[in-house]
Amino acid sequence: MDTAAPLPMPGPGGRLDAPLAAGCAFHVRGTCAFRDTGHGRMVFLRQVHGARIVRDPQGGEEADGMILRRGEGRPALKLADCASLFIASRGFLGAVHAGWRGLASGAVEAIVRAFPEEPELAVAGPCICASCYGVGGNVRKLVVDRSGGEHPEGRLDLRAALVSQARAAGLACAIMHSGPCTMCRPDMFHSFRRDGTGLRNIAWLEG
């Protein structure tokens, strides 16, 4: 897979606090309580499985991606099994939520093309793995046609599709990833595919 070395393995309950380059840090909270989130405003969107990207959101906008000026908030996403990408440059932070619908509609491409500066780093958040994510032929074709990536027969590798779409859109920096499958690790992560739960994992970028 076209990624840099993975980030450290999350701790109990899927907790991850990983320092990155350029004064940034990547955070995840899974089944552990959503607490100890640091300081500064976290910005959440009303995620709708689309490809709309908003600039300078106040929070609650109907969209699946955002771009913020650094110092004006921390982009945060609610995730069950979907993929996600977090991007940082000298002056901006961004995040996009991308399940199969988002990938098929070009959500990752949209945020890469909309980003106002050359990104210095990127992180793919936790998601379901290809071994767990069986899909029908029509869904698989929609994602592969738009995103590419390597996918086992009858299954989708969301992270591979996300990386492939990001590269095709021009993202040149290393893409780190945050480890284990959401469905494989009930001790760490909520998973809609596994449990049908309405609970979500939280990931955000700080910097």
Side-chain angles (χ1 to χ4, degrees), residues 167-190:
R167 293 302 188 211
L171 185 68
C173 66
I175 304 174
M176 295 166 280
H177 67 87
S178 55
C181 166
T182 49
M183 188 169 175
C184 289
R185 295 300 301 263
D187 59 319
M188 288 188 176
F189 298 117
H190 304 294

Side-chain angles (χ1 to χ4, degrees), residues 18-165:
L20 306 174
C24 293
F26 181 67
H27 304 274
V28 178
R29 299 291 185 270
T31 57
C32 63
F34 184 48
R35 61 189 180 194
D36 303 325
T37 60
H39 303 286
R41 182 174 68 101
M42 297 180 73
V43 181
F44 290 92
L45 302 172
R46 181 168 173 253
Q47 297 166 201
V48 292
H49 297 277
R52 182 179 177 227
I53 310 299
V54 292
R55 286 283 302 268
D56 303 318
Q58 296 304 301
E61 290 87 347
E62 191 173 280
D64 284 86
M66 68 185 103
I67 299 170
L68 297 165
R69 292 185 181 275
R70 289 182 71 159
E72 295 187 1
R74 299 178 291 169
L77 297 174
K78 297 179 181 180
L79 306 167
D81 296 304
C82 292
S84 59
L85 184 67
F86 296 80
I87 307 174
S89 67
R90 179 171 296 184
F92 296 88
L93 302 176
V96 64
H97 161 253
W100 75 261
R101 291 178 180 85
L103 288 164
S105 58
V108 174
E109 174 186 348
I111 196 167
V112 172
R113 296 193 185 283
F115 216 72
E117 294 179 338
E118 185 69 23
E120 297 181 1
L121 62 88
V123 180
C127 67
I128 194 170
C129 71
S131 296
C132 289
Y133 196 26
V135 296
N138 289 340
V139 167
R140 188 175 186 274
K141 185 176 188 303
L142 286 169
V143 174
V144 173
D145 285 353
R146 183 66 182 255
S147 306
E150 297 293 327
H151 308 272
E153 188 65 33
R155 299 185 179 276
L156 271 180
D157 187 329
L158 292 180
R159 187 178 289 157
L162 178 145
V163 170
S164 180
Q165 191 171 124

